[in-house]
Amino acid sequence: RLDPAVRDKVLVCDAAPYLVKEPDDWPEIAAGAPGPWLYFNGASMPVARWPNASDEGVGYGAGWFGYTNVVEKGTKEQPGAFEFPGDRAARWRISDGVWLMGYWIYDWHSETLKLGSYDAKTHVARMAGGSTYGLGKGQSWPFPIRRFYALNLLEELDAPGEWYLDRKGKRLYWYPRPAAEGRTDEIVLAQALTPFVKMTRTAFVEFENLSFEYSHGAISIAMSEAVRCAVKGCDFFNHSGGAVSA
């Protein structure tokens, strides 16, 4: 499934010994890209995607693809469908999970939606589930081309830094970026999807001069009904969400 041009450049790791639990499947609808997530020397690595971020885009600049023909708008309960220009989607193994991150109807609202099916004859791509506003041209945002990109595809792992986690086979695929000479590289698969610290009805607790690194949840320190609690001089690195909620 890998592009022949990169097969000798992609590293494959048995991830099973390093997984703290069975990796959850991504949901049918998500904000952003769910975890786990790969980091190299403190930098977030891009999950395998198409188009690549540096590729010439269609309609919206680099890194985007677009469509204009909506087959079914869809609702929160009913999947939408659109005509996928070209035949790129025919090469994807959709049964393994493919997600499309896009601005489906408004340019102020993005969602990551699971692709349910693709018909190579009609070029109709149908989502697996509903979406917040449906697909198509927004009534108050009149640009006809809707932009998106596909992610989490082993077939599209073709650029330095990109990675893919085979959840069923527990294999991690990575196309490494050039390593710096004279240094020890650090590779981290961030798997924490819940807060590092969760406090409820707590008083007089302080966190001071601590570093919180590598998680892919919504928040790092979650406080609820906290009284005179504080976070002072702490560093938060490489989190997909926020630092502190109270």
Side-chain angles (χ1 to χ4, degrees):
R1 294 169 60 191
L2 282 170
D3 188 326
V6 301
R7 285 177 183 170
D8 61 344
K9 301 175 182 178
V10 174
L11 303 180
V12 184
C13 170
D14 179 9
Y18 308 103
L19 295 172
V20 296
K21 69 180 189 70
E22 290 287 326
D24 296 328
D25 288 333
W26 288 9
E28 292 183 350
I29 178 172
W37 206 262
L38 188 69
Y39 294 85
F40 174 61
N41 289 340
S44 173
M45 296 291 99
V47 70
R49 55 171 283 178
W50 178 85
N52 292 327
S54 59
D55 288 349
E56 182 178 351
V58 177
Y60 275 93
W64 296 98
F65 196 65
Y67 71 92
T68 55
N69 297 329
V70 178
V71 178
E72 293 181 25
K73 180 179 179 180
T75 65
K76 290 183 178 180
E77 292 76 28
Q78 297 296 324
F82 66 94
E83 185 178 326
F84 197 122
D87 57 2
R88 188 77 180 198
R91 62 184 291 182
W92 302 339
R93 187 181 293 179
I94 295 176
S95 60
D96 281 358
V98 174
W99 279 259
L100 307 179
M101 186 280 179
Y103 292 85
W104 299 106
I105 197 164
Y106 301 113
D107 267 51
W108 45 261
H109 181 82
S110 65
E111 285 182 325
T112 301
L113 306 178
K114 185 177 183 180
L115 182 60
S117 63
Y118 171 75
D119 189 318
K121 294 182 179 180
T122 63
H123 298 277
V124 171
R126 186 174 301 277
M127 303 305 185
S131 57
T132 302
Y133 297 108
L135 312 183
K137 183 174 69 174
Q139 295 178 355
S140 61
W141 205 267
F143 297 121
I145 298 177
R146 292 289 89 206
R147 55 175 167 156
F148 71 93
Y149 61 82
L151 66 163
N152 196 56
L153 305 105
L154 180 59
E155 296 88 345
E156 302 295 350
L157 203 166
D158 58 3
E162 285 191 337
W163 63 280
Y164 171 83
L165 178 62
D166 176 357
R167 283 167 161 73
K168 295 179 181 178
K170 297 183 177 62
R171 292 185 179 90
L172 177 65
Y173 296 78
W174 182 45
Y175 186 161
R177 290 178 176 172
E181 294 185 7
R183 65 171 294 173
T184 300
D185 294 317
E186 180 186 58
I187 303 172
V188 176
L189 184 66
Q191 301 176 62
L193 304 180
T194 56
F196 287 133
V197 179
K198 189 173 183 179
M199 301 162 45
T200 303
R201 297 179 181 178
T202 307
F204 303 103
V205 175
E206 291 188 358
F207 299 92
E208 188 171 356
N209 299 327
L210 298 175
S211 291
F212 296 87
E213 299 184 66
Y214 299 118
S215 75
H216 208 72
I219 203 74
S220 296
I221 298 178
M223 301 183 188
S224 177
E225 300 179 54
V227 178
R228 295 191 178 182
C229 295
V231 179
K232 301 178 180 179
C234 292
D235 296 319
F236 295 85
F237 298 103
N238 292 322
H239 302 283
S240 65
V244 180
S245 68

